Amino acid sequence: MTDSNPLLRIENLSVAFTGQTVVKNVSFSVSAGQTLALVGESGSGKSVTAHSILKLLPYPNASHPDGKIFYNGQNLLNLSEQALQKIRGNHIGMIFQEPMAALNPLHTVEKQITEVLRLHKHLNTQQCREKTLALLERVQIVDPEQRLSSYPHELSGGQRQRIMIAMALACEPAVLIADEPTTALDVTVQRQILQLLKDLQRSNKMALILITHDLEMVRHYSDHVCVMRHGEIVEANACATLFSAPTHSYTRELLDSRPKGLPKPYNPNAETLLSIKGLSVKFPLHKPLFRAPSKFLHALKPVDICIKEGSTLGIVGESGSGKSTLAMAMLRLQSSEGEINYRHIALNKLNQKQLRPYRKKIQVVFQDPFASLSPRMSVSAIIAEGLTLHEKLSVEDQDKRVIDIMHTVEMDPETRHRYPHEFSGGQRQRIAIARALILKPEVIVLDEPTSALDRAVQVQVIDLLRRLQNEFQLTYIFISHDLEVIKALSHKVIVMRAGEIVEQGDCRQVLESPQHEYTRALLEAAFSQ
């Protein structure tokens, strides 16, 4: 991609880590008001390239054997750290991939945005507060004054991403780098965030570099596209041209990577494995010192669910709709009221000691495999952790079980002594699945297990989950905001909104002939994006 007067221009950039080149001869440019998308699978070099622009890589382990990065005629790679500090935030802003990891859990929203304003704009306390409120209103945070005192864990995924955008826009940068800005967000929030970015781009004439593996997002929101693979740009073109007539085989492969097919039918006369009656969760809105709280937030209003053995129940809904709260309550990892029956055993009446034998029968795979795997433990130790708690095995027998289960999830057992950071996102999710599967559970709760993965890897994980379900007669509770994934895996589906089930039934029937207006809105957001 070339431009006669680009705002940002990268020429033949290479990046190496401890001597090994991971990005090779990357070149592109972006002008004011334009959106350039960097797309490719996990590990293709998208984020490394973007982080090089502001020199956010772990130097000196990282280096640039070749290349130049020009912003307004300045080669950023030649600037001192002090000079770069004036560029970061003021001229080039960045939205990081995972807002929960990028935001400080110990600081309020106000303190985190104020820090940016004090550092770069040198505003006083009153000016900072006024500017922060204006930013929160600009990114469409509801009740911004109340949110000033909130901590990241008190916000939904969409709200956290809006806070990240507010921080990135605090100094009104000319270039905004958005690294997977909608990963793990539900479809309606995705569309809101992307529309917000486009509106802000138009009003500020801002150049936007969008890093993503979501090709539908790219199709609707980008002007130009660079496709990366193994650290190189294999195809670059105008967005419409690339989608209508891709020239590289890898681009065609990416465009064809979509969840397909339907789950294998289950036996409708199978035993009810898990039934939920009147399950509800509420959180106190304030905690008086000497009195019981009188006001509550009803995160989950009483719900009834019945799950048959060998089937998959899909749970969909917007961020904050109560999906994960419902799952955590089912697992007895969240205080709740109501009945939780597993094979006619009332789990809600058991104490923690009585509950332990049933823990191995109901396992969970979390959304972010990097966050849910201990970085200090080897893969072998991670997978075997449950065995050490629930079964007394010799070291040899335990190792054999680990090797067998790694074969089952299609991983090389020779890698079992490595650590999580040495694996890709898809491999880490296979490790998380192996950890759940090694205890031979009957039920696995999958909380957004594919949301952080690129499309090609998503398809592989879906195929793996289908095979495991058929092989071991597993029952899945599958939480996702991706309706294509839900359709590919689920027999039944429930649609949640504001802590309530607004629609439920056969998956194909609900998705093809939705009865509730909210379900129709979700489908429209998913397939019109």
Side-chain angles (χ1 to χ4, degrees):
M1 173 186 162
T2 58
D3 193 292
S4 58
N5 188 29
L7 193 57
L8 183 74
R9 186 174 81 255
I10 293 181
E11 294 181 0
N12 300 316
L13 178 71
S14 293
V15 183
F17 289 103
T18 58
Q20 181 179 358
T21 303
V22 295
V23 170
K24 308 162 196 171
N25 301 319
V26 166
S27 298
F28 61 79
S29 62
V30 61
S31 298
Q34 284 189 331
T35 299
L36 169 76
L38 288 179
V39 303
E41 290 179 288
S42 176
S44 61
K46 309 184 299 293
S47 293
V48 170
T49 300
H51 287 200
S52 298
I53 295 170
L54 290 174
K55 295 190 73 174
L56 297 176
L57 298 175
Y59 303 98
N61 290 332
S63 62
H64 302 286
D66 297 293
K68 298 173 182 177
I69 302 174
F70 290 104
Y71 170 72
N72 276 345
Q74 284 184 299
N75 185 358
L76 300 182
L77 295 182
N78 291 340
L79 296 184
S80 66
E81 183 65 21
Q82 188 176 7
L84 268 174
Q85 286 283 39
K86 295 178 181 178
I87 299 290
R88 293 173 184 147
N90 278 323
H91 299 277
I92 304 176
M94 189 155 188
I95 303 168
F96 294 97
Q97 180 171 348
E98 177 44 65
M100 194 62 182
L103 295 172
N104 191 322
L106 302 178
H107 291 169
T108 63
V109 166
E110 181 175 17
K111 185 169 184 179
Q112 300 196 54
I113 299 177
T114 296
E115 185 179 17
V116 177
L117 295 170
R118 286 188 188 280
L119 181 64
H120 293 287
K121 294 296 185 182
H122 310 293
L123 303 182
N124 62 36
T125 301
Q126 184 59 32
Q127 290 171 326
C128 281
R129 189 176 184 84
E130 290 172 0
K131 179 72 172 175
T132 298
L133 281 170
L135 284 165
L136 293 184
E137 288 175 2
R138 196 176 184 190
V139 297
Q140 299 166 18
I141 288 285
V142 178
D143 197 0
E145 285 205 42
Q146 184 179 336
R147 286 301 172 205
L148 287 176
S149 58
S150 297
Y151 290 86
H153 71 274
E154 297 177 300
L155 306 173
S156 70
Q159 289 171 325
R160 287 195 290 264
Q161 197 61 283
R162 290 172 192 271
I163 299 301
M164 283 292 300
I165 294 171
M167 291 174 68
L169 294 174
C171 301
E172 300 179 357
V175 180
L176 182 63
I177 303 167
D179 189 357
E180 300 279 10
T182 61
T183 293
L185 299 180
D186 56 75
V187 288
T188 50
V189 178
Q190 279 186 10
R191 191 162 69 167
Q192 292 165 11
I193 293 293
L194 289 166
Q195 194 56 54
L196 171 64
L197 286 174
K198 292 301 288 185
D199 291 344
L200 294 170
Q201 182 185 33
R202 277 192 290 270
S203 62
N204 291 8
K205 291 187 170 55
M206 188 171 60
L208 179 62
I209 298 176
L210 184 63
I211 303 165
T212 183
H213 59 253
D214 189 332
L215 291 171
E216 286 306 304
M217 179 199 306
V218 171
R219 185 197 297 267
H220 289 89
Y221 293 96
S222 301
D223 302 308
H224 297 268
V225 186
C226 294
V227 181
M228 294 192 69
R229 187 185 194 191
H230 302 321
E232 298 181 89
I233 292 178
V234 297
E235 185 167 357
N237 217 327
C239 187
T241 304
L242 185 134
F243 276 87
S244 62
T247 59
H248 197 278
S249 59
Y250 177 66
T251 308
R252 291 193 291 271
E253 182 184 322
L254 280 181
L255 292 173
D256 194 47
S257 295
R258 306 183 71 87
K260 298 181 181 73
L262 298 169
K264 185 179 177 181
Y266 74 103
N267 178 9
N269 298 317
E271 182 184 350
T272 296
L273 193 61
L274 199 62
S275 67
I276 308 298
K277 294 181 182 178
L279 191 67
S280 66
V281 175
K282 59 183 181 181
F283 301 109
L285 290 174
H286 63 98
K287 296 179 180 178
L289 190 59
F290 298 110
R291 293 181 288 114
S294 58
K295 292 185 178 180
F296 295 89
L297 169 68
H298 289 268
L300 180 67
K301 294 163 188 177
V303 299
D304 297 338
I305 300 171
C306 178
I307 306 169
K308 296 279 190 178
E309 189 173 10
S311 70
T312 299
L313 173 70
I315 305 177
V316 300
E318 289 180 291
S319 176
S321 63
K323 305 186 301 293
S324 294
T325 301
L326 170 58
M328 293 303 104
M330 284 184 187
L331 291 164
R332 288 282 312 272
L333 297 175
Q334 169 65 57
S335 298
S336 62
E337 297 176 359
E339 296 181 23
I340 307 167
N341 295 297
Y342 168 74
R343 291 198 181 277
H344 309 295
I345 298 160
L347 299 185
N348 54 290
K349 294 181 179 179
L350 304 182
N351 60 36
Q352 289 300 322
K353 186 176 180 181
Q354 294 169 327
L355 193 62
R356 176 172 280 196
Y358 299 100
R359 289 283 188 205
K360 63 183 293 186
K361 293 297 182 183
I362 307 174
Q363 288 291 298
V364 61
V365 175
F366 293 101
Q367 178 174 335
D368 184 351
F370 196 68
S372 66
L373 303 179
S374 172
R376 296 181 177 86
M377 294 170 68
S378 68
V379 165
S380 178
I382 288 169
I383 294 174
E385 189 175 16
L387 288 178
T388 60
L389 290 172
H390 293 283
E391 300 182 27
K392 296 188 182 299
L393 298 175
S394 66
V395 174
E396 293 77 13
D397 287 343
Q398 184 168 287
D399 193 47
K400 184 178 183 304
R401 288 274 291 272
V402 169
I403 291 170
D404 289 344
I405 208 67
M406 289 188 75
H407 278 304
T408 301
V409 299
E410 300 165 9
M411 286 195 71
D412 182 2
E414 294 299 314
T415 64
R416 67 189 184 280
H417 301 301
R418 295 182 186 175
Y419 290 81
H421 71 273
E422 299 178 76
F423 295 87
S424 69
Q427 289 172 320
R428 286 196 289 263
Q429 200 57 288
R430 288 175 188 268
I431 292 166
I433 293 168
R435 176 175 60 181
L437 201 60
I438 200 168
L439 289 170
K440 301 179 181 177
E442 293 186 305
V443 181
I444 299 182
V445 177
L446 299 138
D447 190 357
E448 300 272 13
T450 62
S451 64
L453 307 177
D454 55 71
R455 275 296 191 188
V457 180
Q458 275 189 8
V459 171
Q460 294 168 13
V461 172
I462 289 166
D463 289 342
L464 171 67
L465 290 171
R466 279 179 179 154
R467 180 177 66 76
L468 294 175
Q469 183 171 44
N470 294 335
E471 189 174 334
F472 299 104
Q473 289 301 298
L474 294 168
T475 301
Y476 291 150
I477 298 169
F478 195 93
I479 302 167
S480 181
H481 63 260
D482 191 324
L483 297 180
E484 285 189 329
V485 173
I486 286 288
K487 187 175 181 179
L489 274 171
S490 303
H491 301 99
K492 301 283 185 180
V493 66
I494 63 174
V495 182
M496 297 192 67
R497 185 185 192 187
E500 293 183 278
I501 295 175
V502 296
E503 188 164 356
Q504 62 179 311
D506 177 78
C507 185
R508 288 186 68 182
Q509 184 178 345
V510 170
L511 296 185
E512 291 174 9
S513 302
Q515 301 301 304
H516 197 278
E517 60 181 357
Y518 176 67
T519 311
R520 290 194 289 270
L522 282 180
L523 288 164
E524 182 185 353
F527 298 112
S528 67
Q529 194 174 228

